[in-house]
Amino acid sequence: MTINDHQQWLVDFYQQRHWYQYSPFVHLNFLTEETGEVARAIRAIEIGRDHPGERQATSAERQANLKEELSDALDQILVISSLYNIDAQDLLAASERKLTHRFENQK
């Protein structure tokens, strides 16, 4: 599956669930929530969690949780970009162009 295929799959899925009609501002709030969950997952991997009532996760479970949270954050970025008619593949190309241009004189 390409990133564009996934973006379209997300749009279809979100439309079926009646989530796509939310404004980009609402999806930005969802992205902020997911970013916090990424931070929590990284914290668990890097320094652990000492929380009574929580079972200590295995290394594999912590890694799987990080993967899940990163994918949730990516999905919100792809939905927001779709709401602005920005092709997902164009996001990747824009990132590469910007970084290449910014650091091209440092070789």
Side-chain angles (χ1 to χ4, degrees):
M1 176 179 284
T2 69
I3 195 161
N4 284 352
D5 292 339
H6 184 65
Q7 185 181 41
Q8 187 57 56
W9 181 89
L10 279 171
V11 168
D12 295 342
F13 182 82
Y14 273 53
Q15 286 173 336
Q16 290 172 3
R17 304 289 308 166
H18 305 288
W19 299 339
Y20 190 74
Q21 81 278 4
Y22 295 133
S23 74
F25 187 74
V26 170
H27 285 282
L28 177 62
N29 282 290
F30 294 160
L31 175 59
T32 300
E33 178 183 344
E34 296 303 342
T35 302
E37 292 174 6
V38 168
R40 184 177 189 197
I42 290 173
R43 174 187 169 190
I45 291 170
E46 294 298 322
I47 64 173
R49 288 187 47 84
D50 183 15
H51 191 282
E54 279 188 16
R55 178 181 70 72
Q56 188 73 299
T58 67
S59 177
E61 289 170 330
R62 289 189 301 269
Q63 189 72 15
N65 180 248
L66 176 58
K67 187 176 182 179
E68 178 182 332
E69 300 306 343
L70 285 168
S71 67
D72 290 346
L74 175 61
D75 285 353
Q76 286 306 315
I77 290 170
L78 293 174
V79 168
I80 291 167
S81 64
S82 173
L83 290 167
Y84 286 105
N85 296 312
I86 298 171
D87 180 85
Q89 189 64 43
D90 289 346
L91 293 174
L92 302 180
S95 171
E96 289 181 19
R97 276 192 309 273
K98 177 182 81 173
L99 292 173
T100 300
H101 177 71
R102 183 179 293 167
F103 295 100
E104 67 189 348
N105 294 325
Q106 292 188 348
K107 292 181 181 178

